[in-house]
C-alpha cells in the first residue's frame, strides 16, 4: 500500500467520522487492532453498539465501494466483533454492522453513503 493510498484511506475515515457524528453517532474507538485484523470504527447509535467498516474509493474501476465487503470480509468482521465484545466484557448488548461508503466523484466532490445494518453476523462464532 502506497503512502498516498494510506493517506486517502485516513482522509476517508476522518470524513466518515464527521458524517456519522452529524447523524448522532458517538464514536468510541477508531482503528481497533485485534488478533486477526482491525475494526475501522466502533460507535454507539443510541443504545446500539455499531461496528463500522469504512470503504473509500477513487474510482469504480474495481466495482466501486459497494463491492468492497464480500462474504469473506463479513465473516472476518463478525469474528473481530466477537473478539472486541469479549475483550471489553460486553454481554447482552445490541450490536449491528454498518458500512460507510465513500466515493470520490468528478471534481473532487465526495459522495458518502451510510448502510445501516448492512449484514448479519456470519461464520462460526
Amino acid at each position: 500500500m502506497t503512502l498516498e493510498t494510506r493517506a486517502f484511506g485516513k482522509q476517508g475515515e476522518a470524513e466518515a467520522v464527521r458524517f456519522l457524528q452529524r447523524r448522532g453517532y458517538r464514536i468510541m474507538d477508531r482503528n481497533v487492532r485485534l488478533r486477526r485484523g482491525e475494526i475501522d470504527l466502533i460507535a454507539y447509535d443510541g443504545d446500539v453498539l455499531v461496528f463500522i467498516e469504512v470503504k473509500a474509493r477513487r474510482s469504480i474501476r474495481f466495482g466501486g465501494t459497494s463491492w468492497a465487503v464480500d462474504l469473506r470480509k463479513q465473516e472476518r468482521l463478525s469474528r473481530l466483533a466477537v473478539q472486541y465484545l469479549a475483550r471489553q466484557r460486553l454481554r447482552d448488548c445490541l450490536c449491528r454492522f454498518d458500512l460507510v461508503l465513500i466515493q470520490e466523484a468528478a471534481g473532487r466532490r465526495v459522495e458518502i453513503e451510510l448502510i445501516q445494518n448492512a449484514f448479519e453476523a456470519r461464520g462460526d462464532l
Side-chain angles (χ1 to χ4, degrees):
M1 181 181 304
T2 68
L3 196 55
E4 182 182 338
T5 302
R6 200 169 296 174
F8 180 73
K10 288 255 186 238
Q11 179 185 355
E13 209 167 87
E15 200 61 46
V17 166
R18 287 189 294 276
F19 176 85
L20 292 167
Q21 287 174 328
R22 285 192 302 267
R23 280 156 183 75
Y25 284 63
R26 288 175 305 151
I27 306 299
M28 305 306 291
D29 248 323
R30 294 173 73 161
N31 305 111
V32 176
R33 302 269 326 137
L34 296 159
R35 195 168 24 121
R36 296 185 186 258
E38 181 177 280
I39 301 172
D40 292 336
L41 300 171
I42 299 173
Y44 275 99
D45 181 20
D47 62 349
V48 178
L49 184 64
V50 186
F51 298 96
I52 304 160
E53 179 71 10
V54 178
K55 289 297 177 190
R57 296 287 185 261
R58 287 193 170 118
S59 75
I60 59 171
R61 188 172 60 207
F62 298 108
T65 52
S66 61
W67 290 94
V69 183
D70 59 12
L71 288 176
R72 198 167 119 212
K73 178 82 169 186
Q74 291 174 24
E75 288 174 3
R76 189 172 64 75
L77 289 170
S78 296
R79 281 193 222 86
L80 291 171
V82 169
Q83 286 178 27
Y84 179 83
L85 292 169
R87 178 195 279 181
Q88 299 298 320
R89 295 186 175 100
L90 295 171
R91 294 178 172 214
D92 301 324
C93 71
L94 296 173
C95 300
R96 73 172 191 247
F97 296 92
D98 287 2
L99 299 177
V100 175
L101 308 175
I102 301 171
Q103 183 69 56
E104 192 175 272
R108 307 280 301 159
R109 187 179 50 125
V110 174
E111 297 174 9
I112 302 177
E113 179 182 4
L114 170 63
I115 301 175
Q116 292 182 322
N117 204 26
F119 61 89
E120 299 290 321
R122 298 188 175 276
D124 297 327
L125 306 177

